[in-house]
Amino acid sequence: MDARTIIGWNLRQLRVAQGLSQERLALTAGIDRAYVGRVERGSENVTISTLEAVARALAVPVAHLLVEPDGEAERLAPLKAGREPAH
């Protein structure tokens, strides 16, 4: 896996495990929701600053986003579609 794919994979795994939508993560990290989707698909080059913001929003060290998943890692099912209700 290349670095963009690894980051995208880990970002999605962590986000879904925490029950966060792309929109909620983007709001917390101060980035655009569409950008989160592109990062998760591995089609965006991410800056260190953005990695730090995303890691803070997920409450994990930046290093967790850079660890290559093992070959047996399963892709998580998507969260249900739609916007979250306003809090």
Side-chain angles (χ1 to χ4, degrees), residues 9-82:
W9 175 276
N10 289 327
L11 172 57
R12 184 168 191 281
Q13 300 300 311
L14 290 164
R15 178 182 62 75
V16 172
Q18 293 184 26
L20 296 173
S21 66
Q22 288 181 348
E23 183 174 17
R24 178 59 54 200
L25 175 62
L27 286 170
T28 304
I31 57 178
D32 183 66
R33 193 230 30 99
Y35 183 79
V36 173
R38 290 192 305 271
V39 171
E40 287 186 359
R41 288 189 303 277
S43 62
E44 191 73 49
N45 283 321
V46 184
T47 66
I48 295 297
S49 298
T50 300
L51 281 178
E52 289 174 331
V54 168
R56 265 193 310 278
L58 293 168
V60 299
V62 172
H64 278 108
L65 296 168
L66 302 171
V67 176
E68 187 166 0
D70 64 22
E72 297 176 15
E74 257 185 62
R75 190 149 191 94
L76 296 175
L79 295 175
K80 69 177 185 148

